[in-house]
């Protein structure tokens, strides 16, 4: 695949090469999670014990049992990859949700009368919004928070905006 670019929602550009996995690669050494599997397979037996899997950040307490689909007390590469893929998909979905929330808030700020949206930074992580930057009045600070809170999906808003003297 050439160096093609995909434009994801809200102007994020992603290389198509990053997502290109052929059928041959999925069954060969270049499988998406093969390297991660080998990195934690300390004894090199092609199976992960609970202790080995715990070395991977995506396997907190209780995750091993969820990944061990055949309940044999170890994970093969397919079980490991299926679990890691599920975790990655959930993380990607959350990132997309957070990006959508940020974009909705910023677009509302753009149409807000007497509000300099370029001086306000909006960051979203796990549906929690942090507002930072500068506004001209306490009313603008309160309005910015109210707008952010009104967006669907927002759980909390931390308003760290500073009123310029």
């Amino acid at each position: 695949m050439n160096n093609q670019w995909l434009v994801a929602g809200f102007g994020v550009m992603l290389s198509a090469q990053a997502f290109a996995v052929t059928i041959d690669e999925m069954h060969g050494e270049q499988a998406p999670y093969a390297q991660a599997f080998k990195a934690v397979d300390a004894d090199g037996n092609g199976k992960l014990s609970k202790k080995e899997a715990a070395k991977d950040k995506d396997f907190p307490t209780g995750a091993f049992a969820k990944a061990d689909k055949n309940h044999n007390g170890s994970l093969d590469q397919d079980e490991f990859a299926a679990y890691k893929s599920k975790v990655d998909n959930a993380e990607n979905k959350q990132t997309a949700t957070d990006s959508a929330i940020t974009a909705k808030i910023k677009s509302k700020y753009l149409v807000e009368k007497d509000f300099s949206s370029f001086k306000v930074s909006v960051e979203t992580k796990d549906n929690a919004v942090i507002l930072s930057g500068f506004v001209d009045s306490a009313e603008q600070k309160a309005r910015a928070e109210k707008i952010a809170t009104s967006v669907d999906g927002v759980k909390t808003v931390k308003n760290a905006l500073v009123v310029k003297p």
Side-chain angles (χ1 to χ4, degrees), residues 106-122:
K106 286 185 173 202
S107 68
K108 287 184 176 216
Y109 287 170
L110 283 173
V111 298
E112 187 69 16
K113 208 174 198 178
D114 300 323
F115 187 81
S116 181
S117 62
F118 298 110
K119 296 179 183 173
V120 175
S121 174
V122 180

Side-chain angles (χ1 to χ4, degrees), residues 37-60:
F37 182 87
K38 286 181 181 180
V40 292
D41 185 14
D43 60 12
N45 69 351
K47 302 277 185 190
L48 297 183
S49 67
K50 190 173 187 178
K51 184 178 178 181
E52 287 173 321
K55 294 176 187 173
D56 186 288
K57 68 174 180 60
D58 291 331
F59 283 87

Side-chain angles (χ1 to χ4, degrees), residues 22 65 68 84 86 92 111 129 132 137 140 147 149 164:
T22 66
D68 186 13
K84 291 281 284 182
K86 187 175 179 180
N92 291 339
V111 298
V129 175
S132 60
S137 67
Q140 285 183 349
I147 290 169
T149 304
K164 288 191 292 185

Side-chain angles (χ1 to χ4, degrees), residues 66-153:
K66 292 177 186 175
D68 186 13
K69 294 296 183 190
N70 61 7
H71 309 290
N72 68 350
S74 67
L75 301 181
D76 62 26
Q77 191 166 342
D78 289 339
E79 289 171 314
F80 177 82
Y83 181 80
K84 291 281 284 182
S85 177
K86 187 175 179 180
V87 168
D88 286 349
N89 287 338
E91 288 173 357
N92 291 339
K93 184 177 178 183
Q94 184 61 53
T95 299
T97 298
D98 289 342
S99 295
I101 288 170
T102 297
K104 287 176 187 175
I105 293 169
K106 286 185 173 202
S107 68
K108 287 184 176 216
Y109 287 170
L110 283 173
V111 298
E112 187 69 16
K113 208 174 198 178
D114 300 323
F115 187 81
S116 181
S117 62
F118 298 110
K119 296 179 183 173
V120 175
S121 174
V122 180
E123 296 180 47
T124 310
K125 175 76 172 140
D126 297 329
N127 299 62
V129 175
I130 300 174
L131 305 176
S132 60
F134 299 94
V135 291
D136 294 326
S137 67
E139 293 80 19
Q140 285 183 349
K141 180 177 179 175
R143 182 75 183 131
E145 183 173 341
K146 186 174 180 180
I147 290 169
T149 304
S150 75
V151 170
D152 284 342

